[in-house]
Amino acid sequence: MKDLQMIYIRNQILTMPMKVNQELTHKNKKFNKRSDYENIIRYVDNFLEGENINRFLVLPGLRDVGKTTILFQVYEYLLKEKNITPQNILYFSCDRLKRTGNVDIFDVVNYYCKSFHNSLIETLPSPVFILIDEAQYDKEWALNGKLIFDGSKNIFIILSGSSALKLSNNPDAARRLLNIPIYPLTYCEHLKLKYGNFKNDISPSIIKMIFDGKTENSAEIERIMINIYSNFKNYDLSEWKNFLQFGGFPSSFFQNTNEITKKIVDMVEKVVTTDMNNIEGITSDTQNLAFQILNYFAFQNPGEVSKGSLSNHFDAKKPLVTKVLDILEKTQLIFHIEAFTSSVKRTTKPHEYFFATPSLKHNLALDVGNAMLEDETAYFGKLLENYVASSFHDLDNKSSISYKTYYDDSNKMRSDKNVDFIVQRGLEKPIPIEVSCGDKDKSQIKRAIKKYNSPHGIIISNTTPNIVKNDNIICIPPEIFAFM
């Protein structure tokens, strides 16, 4: 290691106990914690109790979703609640380290063990915690993480990184690491961080209602929600609408709308120009096409998009379009859903694409021009549709049970007659979902229930303030669905 890097690491050990409080407050108010933090702390506690399997955690996610804050909160937990000495906790950022020379995580940890524990990695006498931010700046992060993990059972290591490209599915570390993707905030988590922590007891009930079709607990769900909202101080009645446009990222709490738009657009540009640069074969043409596709999706109505149509639209070769879409999905900016049909036919069907959070769609459109070029109700319907898609996408990724989301392409001549989504839990019967802001004809949902032999259907709409069931159709207000 170079001298400047050694100085940086020494300073981190000495100053972090003082810095951590500054990093976790805004205007003397302590940041609240998201559910991902609680999940990570369980592994920390298990390690301190002697479990040494899940002690290599990787937190991939978009820039600005709060990964650094989580690392600082883990540091504070170790320091103040578990009474771990600062000498036994090392936090550093590979981004900062890179400014002083080449980044090698193994060298840093090796130096730390020698200088602060008079030990090799292999002979560490007591548990230590290594918290590493922006790990993608070490091109050999996976191999180095593996070597550290294998070297000592007294090391608990967390790597976070803004580029899911480099922090996912790496064969060098795949069998050892535990991947915990950090997604943009759900509306429920948004409320927790902004207004104060509360226990979301109703999420399992909402999921059960959607997939089982039973509404016996609907009054209890609404009572709990009213109780949650009643405890919020200075609650903004426009919170839900503002969240759809500007939410998903914790930094939005402290900025005006113009600043949020600039920050989101800048974040997307960094993903494309910096994170994508880490992939072999990426050129400026590839990056330009990525920007064009993202802006196209920002203005496009939700609907199926073939790679061939994108190829023709942008005058780009289809393999390049395929590569760019794959990369954009790995960065977690977008995701796709497939047609509800047989697995063989599904491979030949176009995909529907959605942003990780509706505010990405809104602010990219806002940056190019006027996002609302149409009726406001219809526009918010599109943002709501994106939120519903991302909610089911996250549910599938975070759950041990399979929750798959598809689009309905059964009526090829009139796509407006199709429902928005078909969701399926495991191998159970599919459940059609219709999403709308404003009045909606129920003919689509009735047709889909009959077509797919579904036990019931779901309409997520703001036309009712309460959960209502008529025959086999359940109407759920968006702000209740958002607690799923």
Side-chain angles (χ1 to χ4, degrees):
M1 279 182 64
K2 295 184 178 181
D3 290 343
L4 283 176
Q5 292 181 330
M6 293 178 186
I7 293 170
Y8 168 65
I9 295 303
R10 287 199 295 271
N11 284 343
Q12 288 297 96
I13 299 290
L14 295 172
T15 62
M16 271 297 291
M18 294 174 286
K19 284 170 55 180
V20 70
N21 189 58
Q22 298 171 359
E23 296 289 342
L24 295 177
T25 56
H26 179 74
K27 294 183 177 179
N28 296 319
K29 186 179 178 182
K30 199 84 167 177
F31 294 157
N32 292 315
K33 298 177 178 71
R34 55 190 292 170
S35 57
D36 298 295
Y37 165 83
E38 305 295 343
N39 186 23
I40 292 163
I41 288 303
R42 283 202 301 272
Y43 293 109
V44 170
D45 288 343
N46 290 342
F47 172 72
L48 288 171
E49 291 168 8
E51 196 263 11
N52 56 35
I53 298 173
N54 293 314
R55 54 184 176 84
F56 182 8
L57 310 187
V58 178
L59 317 181
L62 280 173
R63 293 171 181 266
D64 300 328
V65 293
K67 301 183 300 297
T68 300
T69 298
I70 291 174
L71 289 185
F72 277 115
Q73 288 172 333
V74 171
Y75 186 102
E76 183 182 58
Y77 174 80
L78 292 168
L79 188 71
K80 296 183 178 180
E81 295 191 40
K82 292 300 178 178
N83 297 315
I84 306 296
T85 173
Q87 186 174 312
N88 283 21
I89 317 170
L90 172 63
Y91 166 88
F92 68 92
S93 171
C94 291
D95 182 19
R96 181 77 179 272
L97 204 64
K98 188 180 180 183
R99 299 175 198 172
T100 60
N102 293 329
V103 180
D104 189 306
I105 289 171
F106 184 83
D107 281 353
V108 173
V109 175
N110 201 36
Y111 164 76
Y112 161 73
C113 291
K114 287 180 180 178
S115 299
F116 290 88
H117 295 278
N118 193 28
S119 167
L120 300 174
I121 290 175
E122 292 78 5
T123 57
L124 271 172
S126 58
V128 300
F129 295 84
I130 313 293
L131 313 177
I132 304 173
D133 210 359
E134 302 289 359
Q136 74 275 2
Y137 283 97
D138 178 357
K139 292 183 178 180
E140 299 295 331
W141 71 267
L143 175 61
N144 286 328
K146 168 187 171 296
L147 293 173
I148 294 165
F149 176 88
D150 291 344
S152 174
K153 291 183 178 180
N154 271 330
I155 293 181
F156 187 99
I157 182 170
I158 305 178
L159 301 176
S160 86
S162 61
S163 172
L165 310 168
K166 300 294 287 184
L167 293 176
S168 298
N169 302 321
N170 191 299
D172 287 325
R175 289 182 292 109
R176 292 161 174 82
L177 66 82
L178 184 64
N179 226 329
I180 305 178
I182 308 299
Y183 296 103
L185 298 174
T186 64
Y187 184 56
C188 185
E189 287 186 321
H190 169 91
L191 294 175
K192 282 184 180 182
L193 295 191
K194 187 169 184 179
Y195 292 103
N197 194 30
F198 58 87
K199 190 173 182 180
N200 182 10
D201 291 326
I202 60 178
S203 176
S205 298
I206 295 172
I207 295 170
K208 186 175 176 62
M209 179 173 59
I210 290 171
F211 289 94
D212 291 346
K214 296 178 182 178
T215 57
E216 290 86 351
N217 293 333
S218 60
E220 179 66 8
I221 290 171
E222 291 165 6
R223 185 195 66 77
I224 293 173
M225 278 198 63
I226 291 170
N227 185 52
I228 289 170
Y229 277 99
S230 66
N231 289 322
F232 293 160
K233 292 182 179 178
N234 303 316
Y235 176 71
D236 186 344
L237 293 176
S238 301
E239 197 68 59
W240 169 244
K241 184 176 178 181
N242 292 337
F243 171 80
L244 287 178
Q245 296 178 94
F246 301 104
F249 300 93
S251 57
S252 65
F253 302 151
F254 316 115
Q255 298 171 320
N256 61 44
T257 56
N258 290 333
E259 291 170 336
I260 295 169
T261 299
K262 184 178 186 309
K263 193 170 183 69
I264 288 177
V265 171
D266 287 348
M267 178 272 289
V268 172
E269 288 185 356
K270 285 179 181 176
V271 170
V272 174
T273 59
T274 303
D275 296 345
M276 284 179 63
N277 256 349
N278 290 325
I279 303 174
E280 190 175 342
I282 294 299
T283 65
S284 58
D285 288 341
T286 313
Q287 292 172 328
N288 288 336
L289 181 58
F291 281 124
Q292 291 171 339
I293 289 175
L294 288 170
N295 286 327
Y296 177 81
F297 287 159
F299 279 99
Q300 185 208 29
N301 293 339
E304 59 191 73
V305 179
S306 72
K307 292 166 185 174
S309 66
L310 288 175
S311 174
N312 293 331
H313 185 80
F314 295 113
D315 191 24
K317 293 181 179 179
K318 190 175 176 180
L320 179 60
V321 170
T322 301
K323 180 177 183 177
V324 169
L325 288 171
D326 181 58
I327 291 169
L328 289 175
E329 289 203 60
K330 286 181 178 176
T331 64
Q332 298 176 349
L333 281 171
I334 63 172
F335 64 93
H336 78 269
I337 63 174
E338 299 177 351
F340 185 75
T341 185
S342 69
S343 56
V344 175
K345 289 182 180 179
R346 200 175 297 145
T347 59
T348 65
K349 297 278 187 179
H351 294 163
E352 283 193 4
Y353 289 91
F354 296 90
F355 286 95
T357 184
S359 63
L360 284 169
K361 180 181 181 71
H362 176 70
N363 287 282
L364 285 175
L366 207 61
D367 183 58
V368 174
N370 183 7
M372 294 187 196
L373 297 175
E374 57 190 317
D375 175 74
E376 182 177 353
T377 300
Y379 180 77
F380 276 97
K382 292 173 184 176
L383 295 183
L384 175 59
E385 189 173 337
N386 195 127
Y387 183 75
V388 171
S390 62
S391 297
F392 282 113
H393 178 70
D394 291 356
L395 176 64
D396 182 46
N397 285 329
K398 292 178 179 179
S399 177
S400 58
I401 302 171
S402 171
Y403 290 97
K404 294 302 179 187
T405 310
Y406 305 95
Y407 71 86
D408 175 17
D409 78 331
S410 58
N411 195 326
K412 298 176 179 60
M413 300 302 294
R414 289 288 304 277
S415 60
D416 61 324
K417 295 295 183 183
N418 294 336
V419 293
D420 293 310
F421 304 109
I422 305 289
V423 295
Q424 190 171 29
R425 179 174 61 187
L427 298 176
E428 296 175 0
K429 288 188 176 181
I431 309 298
I433 304 241
E434 186 67 19
V435 181
S436 74
C437 284
D439 291 330
K440 190 76 173 182
D441 185 356
K442 292 183 180 178
S443 61
Q444 288 116 311
I445 199 81
K446 290 179 179 178
R447 183 199 62 79
I449 291 171
K450 184 177 179 180
K451 166 75 177 176
Y452 298 113
N453 192 27
S454 303
H456 62 277
I458 304 290
I459 296 178
I460 299 168
S461 172
N462 61 354
T463 54
T464 173
N466 306 103
I467 299 168
V468 177
K469 185 174 184 180
N470 290 316
D471 296 325
N472 57 352
I473 298 174
I474 302 171
C475 294
I476 305 176
E479 288 182 67
I480 293 181
F481 169 82
F483 274 68
M484 182 182 78

